[in-house]
Amino acid sequence: MVGGGNGAFIGAVHRMAASLDGDIELVCGAFSANEQSSMRYGQSLNLDPARCYGSYQQMFIEEAKLPSSQKMDFVVVVTPNHLHFPVAKMALEAGFHVLSDKPATFDLTQALLLEALVEKSGRLYGLTHTYTGYPLIKQAKHLVKQTDFGRVTKVVVEYSQGWLAVDDDNKQAQWRLDPQRSGMSCCMGDIGVHAANLAEYVSGSDITAICADLTASKTGRVLDDDGSVLLQFNNGAKGVLLASQVAVGDENNLTLRVYGEHQSLQWSQLDPNTLLLKSAVHPTQVIRTGMASLCTQAKMATRLPSGHPEGYIEAFANIYRNFTMQIRAFEQGDATALHNFDIPDISDAVRGMAFIEHVVAASQSTQKWHPISLVPTPRSI
Amino acid sequence: MVGGGNGAFIGAVHRMAASLDGDIELVCGAFSANEQSSMRYGQSLNLDPARCYGSYQQMFIEEAKLPSSQKMDFVVVVTPNHLHFPVAKMALEAGFHVLSDKPATFDLTQALLLEALVEKSGRLYGLTHTYTGYPLIKQAKHLVKQTDFGRVTKVVVEYSQGWLAVDDDNKQAQWRLDPQRSGMSCCMGDIGVHAANLAEYVSGSDITAICADLTASKTGRVLDDDGSVLLQFNNGAKGVLLASQVAVGDENNLTLRVYGEHQSLQWSQLDPNTLLLKSAVHPTQVIRTGMASLCTQAKMATRLPSGHPEGYIEAFANIYRNFTMQIRAFEQGDATALHNFDIPDISDAVRGMAFIEHVVAASQSTQKWHPISLVPTPRSI
Amino acid sequence: MVGGGNGAFIGAVHRMAASLDGDIELVCGAFSANEQSSMRYGQSLNLDPARCYGSYQQMFIEEAKLPSSQKMDFVVVVTPNHLHFPVAKMALEAGFHVLSDKPATFDLTQALLLEALVEKSGRLYGLTHTYTGYPLIKQAKHLVKQTDFGRVTKVVVEYSQGWLAVDDDNKQAQWRLDPQRSGMSCCMGDIGVHAANLAEYVSGSDITAICADLTASKTGRVLDDDGSVLLQFNNGAKGVLLASQVAVGDENNLTLRVYGEHQSLQWSQLDPNTLLLKSAVHPTQVIRTGMASLCTQAKMATRLPSGHPEGYIEAFANIYRNFTMQIRAFEQGDATALHNFDIPDISDAVRGMAFIEHVVAASQSTQKWHPISLVPTPRSI
Amino acid sequence: MVGGGNGAFIGAVHRMAASLDGDIELVCGAFSANEQSSMRYGQSLNLDPARCYGSYQQMFIEEAKLPSSQKMDFVVVVTPNHLHFPVAKMALEAGFHVLSDKPATFDLTQALLLEALVEKSGRLYGLTHTYTGYPLIKQAKHLVKQTDFGRVTKVVVEYSQGWLAVDDDNKQAQWRLDPQRSGMSCCMGDIGVHAANLAEYVSGSDITAICADLTASKTGRVLDDDGSVLLQFNNGAKGVLLASQVAVGDENNLTLRVYGEHQSLQWSQLDPNTLLLKSAVHPTQVIRTGMASLCTQAKMATRLPSGHPEGYIEAFANIYRNFTMQIRAFEQGDATALHNFDIPDISDAVRGMAFIEHVVAASQSTQKWHPISLVPTPRSI
């Protein structure tokens, strides 16, 4: 693990998610840019002191020297955004598979470089778009593909939080709002990209054009903390994406609705074990995690009988589980392992960075529609 | 009553809303363009046959001749959209107050003419923006004005229905989708304008600019049945308005969220007797119709103890009740009656038509932002 | 109307419910035991002063003299409980149909007398068990009868309010807690009997034995304000009935669950337009007021398209509507009118009083099970 | 770990709960009565083959011989009910702390023996009443103790499942319904006891008397699969406990309501991160997991920011976490460790068995009220 030391929320979540199924063991880490902190933190996690490293560079060098039965199987990147790329790059070059927090890189240019590096390295790369780990998100993706659903006509996705309406000065707020560490977007880079990924994952369609209105709601902020985006998809569907970090009183309200010609779906992270399947002619069906009739991917992503609620950590653990399964298949020479696993990969990483970069450009434009391409925008902030 | 004969949904709703409080009596009507139908329908409502008229023109002429103790006190217009203006015009000219279904007229030009007519006639004009009749919508408007709420920063309003995803050929669908009878917009003219009105009513701010993406989702339709609109308000707030008649499986899902600097509000017509008041620091409060702490307007709009659900007809009846109170005050010479009653009036009528006309224009534009003015767009469809 | 004058909540509700469909007109009333009050109140309702009576006795005498085209069609009894019987008795004897508030009488002995009177009078008698007027309660009754549901195995019904946890000294609380006016039970007589009626109405089974634990939660109260009752039904089903007027913070939380061998149903007055149909093998279905697939009785009880919420007044109006239809059929000589209409009648009145009387007796007993019979208990309070 | 091998649902849940925080490692086990199965299963969990034992007896003997730095710190008992006592007994006698699944023993007599054994052994004993691990259950317990709440007047607790309405012949159903393995009660022993424990934990009061009606709903079943129980608490409160395994369509619907003189609380496992705090005079407050204002115990039991749902495994992990903390304190000589940790202990174990035994006796009695004592009933089934 690189990053995730003292005070870092997401590092602890990664460790819980990784350990949940008893199949992954944290063996080494560079938890902080400060060598002493990193060492101390690693030992607080009961790690072998010899494998608590003062820097990620050192870790990759040392770990690469270990015999394969001992060395770590993959690297997890949980640093602030600006370090995602250099850490992932060095890990891949040192021969390690990489599982990275999103956004994958600092900007689209880096993401394209990373894509080339992944290909060249022959290593696996996964991205923790956590919300795709929920069982009923997998079921939603499954249902959208059925003929009963009809063509997708509209997608409404929203991720709203309120914490930046209050807080300017905690550690988290500081780096999120700092373009040097966060990148060209705060709200869209942190949560908007999750919403975009979820919309594409479930609808099975790609966003091709956007119309964006981003806002920095407080004086002195240079990055967006709120944004509304109109969407066009490659199958002709329309959509709306709302993201906010200043939606006072909202927690982590991620909601998704997908409308088809004959049916529609509604899901919310506030009640993640319920998926509503609506229809023009039949009563709405309440689909629940754990039901016997769910699709294979949804069932595999479920650990409990229905009615015992599963949550965010379990969804996160599903990302880890699928990545581990992919690594096992890959290491055993399964040629399809690169593409056949239900895990966000380098192409999602590139698409995510394209979304972030173009949503910022679109917001600055006076033209209504802005195409999303994989070509970097002329300039970054 | 003009219109609202056989098979017309909204006419019956008007009659129930009007009669609920036992204070309004239907005394005459021109229920259909067909004289026989109108007569038959009126008699089925137990009206005096002499006051079941074959046309609205005839009705205004005959009723105007009656002594004031006998003649009707006001006219209700519940015809298809293209007749709203001529009926209201003639009623005003015949000296009757008018309560009209929305949209007020066929286009903005007519709305401005109507505004002049209302002023000239010295009669009262009300518009049935039903949803502003809900007690908790009044409470929401009240709470937004409190200093605890802070400046409004964002408004998200949505009205989604699914009935036009299925139905092309019932009577209702046919005239709604016909530009000759419905006007230049189907979805925005029918329900989007309700959402816009509700957003302005509760937020206390005016929409000043929009960015719109309207869709006619089925082959052969010339009017929109779905649309997404980004909003700017005159107080600096941003917003999003979603409206759809092809949201498969949705019924009449009207939802409103208003975010302020310190608090936010959430309301849905599906559970109209609950209003959530959120805060950055306190637990969300569940405000309920009937609570003793509600504001005066909300209490006046409530008929039952809390926990006995009130619904759409009661909200509609509040429009009637307030219009009746306004008429009484006006007839008794209360000089403030023109402006002091909580009832949508001719200025809402004009703003509504401006919204409809400009949202269509904005959708056709390649520019992102389009100002909403009270100047008619160059052409209608 | 007898009763329902100044300050009486339920009288106003009756008038709204009666007037909603424009088919019933209030023509006369004895609104108060005080002649002046009654006259004044009647005139405030725009009644003909000649038909605002100083006492119900006088009203029945005078109205009976009128020609049938002028005299009232039926009497509504909305007095405190202890007057229900004498008023209904005199009305029947004067030849009027009666629609009475519940509980029908002061005790079971009176209810049996009333039953004999109804039969002898040849007049119609209806009881306003309002909650049976909700469309989805009718749909629930319909679904329970389908073979897919299986035999009913368990019924859980609850009616909880909190108002008597606070209030001892308003007018309503005073008579409710006074055995001279309220009868032998406060909570069970006021709301428990509604819950029992609802359980029997929907399940289609009769409660045959009970085990009861009633509580007077505040010092000085002699009547129950809370109670829990175990139930046995004549089809072998078990059940639980909870009722409370001291459930702090609850409004009018009436909920019903009926379990069958293969399916189950869940309904709550807080969201009366939603009925959940659960199954052992299929996803829960969300049945909604207004759906095209509802049964005839549910559709007849519906006034709006789905998604426009209907509430308590509409449910109440359905009681009035069905009673009016029954009267019309009866007056036109339809021999089946006495039994073929979906309206609580004298047998429900007797069953309700038996429930109240026996639940009090059961609570005082040290034996677990107490049969519900139509034989009065040895003594009343 | 003893038990929890192939096909056992709860063993896997224990392992996930134990590993979640990275602080507990499974080091040995006797997973099955069959030696081969046990060995194979242990190795599938990546255990050292030398520590996969063929029987629990063998495990305790061998592990006791290991140096304290190597031997297991505590034993987890996840066998069917009839083995809970002999396994716990031998573990305690071998010097190991014990964390046991509930019900603690086969009957109350065994529970009292176990209590003596725990005391004599000087070892710690914990019981996995999982639901007390939810953060908002801890917050509920905290709020009930505040003076604002007032004296507890009523507790309504329900645990309803539907799986035994369908399934007679899976492995789980077979042993649950078999009195030789399950004990004298199926439904009350499996889930009713959880509900009783939760009611006592949150209310801070003990159940002192019950009136019970248990049902075996299917032909051939000798144990209850459904039951309703009226409750009396030692503080004078009343209550109702409903439990069912044949509530068709219900999943694991555990709900709790606690009413006080001034406030009340409502919680459901279906939405475990929401706790409603109601009041007679203020709007209901929506208390959420992760809020800064929660009590210490609730905060300690929380791993994520509010809005990222936590579920059953996290609640279960809180039981493990608290038991581990208790062991650490105890091993470090903290004299208060026996009593000062928020973890169900041997006294809960005894109370639970007393509840089960007396609820069965109460159901068979013709008397209404049956005291709950810690004296075993005359005979068991």
Side-chain angles (χ1 to χ4, degrees), chain B residues 188-255:
Chain B
M188 288 293 158
D190 186 17
I191 58 176
V193 69
H194 270 309
N197 174 266
L198 195 65
E200 294 193 340
Y201 179 79
V202 173
S203 73
S205 297
D206 289 345
I207 300 169
T208 51
I210 53 178
C211 167
D213 181 25
L214 307 191
T215 307
S217 70
K218 286 201 175 181
T219 315
R221 290 186 180 171
V222 294
L223 297 185
D224 57 297
D225 50 27
D226 179 279
S228 303
V229 188
L230 305 182
L231 308 172
Q232 293 179 2
F233 288 84
N234 63 350
N235 79 331
K238 300 287 186 81
V240 181
L241 183 154
L242 304 180
S244 185
Q245 294 167 317
V246 291
V248 173
D250 284 353
E251 299 176 335
N252 278 291
N253 298 9
L254 174 64
T255 63

Side-chain angles (χ1 to χ4, degrees), chain A residues 154 158 166 211-213 215 226 228 238 240 247-248 250 257 259-262 264 278 362-363 365-368, chain B residues 154 158 211-213 215 226 228 238 240 247-248 250 257 259-262 264 278 280 362-363 365-368:
Chain A
K154 190 174 182 180
E158 175 166 6
V166 198
C211 167
D213 181 26
T215 309
D226 180 278
S228 303
K238 299 288 186 79
V240 181
V248 173
D250 284 353
R257 283 179 286 155
Y259 293 95
E261 288 170 299
H262 311 309
S264 68
K278 299 182 177 185
S363 181
S365 167
T366 59
Q367 292 295 305
K368 192 193 286 182
Chain B
K154 191 175 180 178
E158 175 167 5
C211 167
D213 181 25
T215 307
D226 179 279
S228 303
K238 300 287 186 81
V240 181
V248 173
D250 284 353
R257 283 179 287 154
Y259 294 96
E261 288 170 299
H262 311 309
S264 68
K278 300 182 176 187
S363 181
S365 167
T366 60
Q367 292 295 305
K368 193 194 285 182

Side-chain angles (χ1 to χ4, degrees), chain D residues 139-370:
Chain D
Q139 180 67 14
K141 183 184 182 63
H142 170 78
L143 288 168
V144 164
K145 283 188 284 197
Q146 308 308 305
T147 53
D148 284 354
F149 198 80
R151 186 176 63 79
V152 171
T153 56
K154 190 174 180 180
V155 179
V156 182
V157 64
E158 175 167 6
Y159 198 145
S160 61
Q161 305 175 327
W163 66 291
L164 278 178
V166 197
D167 246 346
D168 258 299
D169 49 0
N170 69 21
K171 190 179 166 186
Q172 185 81 205
Q174 280 173 353
W175 82 254
R176 286 284 182 203
L177 288 164
D178 174 5
Q180 302 307 317
R181 288 179 282 175
S182 200
M184 72 195 67
S185 163
C186 175
C187 178
M188 287 293 157
D190 186 17
I191 58 177
V193 69
H194 270 310
N197 174 265
L198 196 66
E200 294 192 341
Y201 179 80
V202 173
S203 73
S205 297
D206 290 345
I207 300 169
T208 51
I210 54 179
C211 167
D213 181 26
L214 307 190
T215 308
S217 71
K218 284 200 175 182
T219 315
R221 289 187 180 170
V222 295
L223 298 184
D224 56 297
D225 50 26
D226 181 278
S228 303
V229 189
L230 305 182
L231 309 172
Q232 292 180 4
F233 289 84
N234 63 351
N235 80 331
K238 300 288 185 80
V240 181
L241 183 155
L242 304 180
S244 185
Q245 294 167 317
V246 291
V248 173
D250 284 354
E251 299 177 334
N252 278 288
N253 298 10
L254 174 63
T255 62
L256 175 71
R257 284 178 286 156
V258 181
Y259 293 95
E261 288 170 299
H262 311 308
Q263 294 182 327
S264 67
L265 288 167
Q266 184 176 328
W267 179 86
S268 165
Q269 201 204 195
L270 285 175
D271 183 11
N273 299 299
T274 297
L275 174 69
L276 298 182
L277 176 61
K278 300 182 177 186
S279 142
V281 286
H282 298 296
T284 294
Q285 291 185 30
V286 184
I287 296 171
R288 295 272 304 159
T289 304
M291 279 174 39
S293 57
L294 298 193
C295 70
T296 309
Q297 289 291 356
K299 277 188 193 161
M300 279 178 50
T302 305
R303 288 168 182 80
L304 298 172
S306 60
H308 279 147
E310 303 188 52
Y312 178 82
I313 295 174
E314 290 80 357
F316 214 129
N318 289 333
I319 303 286
Y320 268 91
R321 190 149 75 173
N322 284 3
F323 191 56
T324 311
M325 286 170 54
Q326 188 184 25
I327 291 176
R328 285 223 174 92
F330 182 82
E331 300 285 359
Q332 288 164 10
D334 177 348
T336 68
L338 270 171
H339 304 296
N340 254 8
F341 280 80
D342 177 24
I343 171 93
D345 64 10
I346 187 66
S347 72
D348 295 286
V350 171
R351 286 198 62 74
M353 292 316 300
F355 175 79
I356 295 169
E357 197 154 312
H358 286 287
V359 87
V360 171
S363 181
Q364 291 163 353
S365 168
T366 59
Q367 291 296 305
K368 193 194 284 180
W369 291 108
H370 183 101

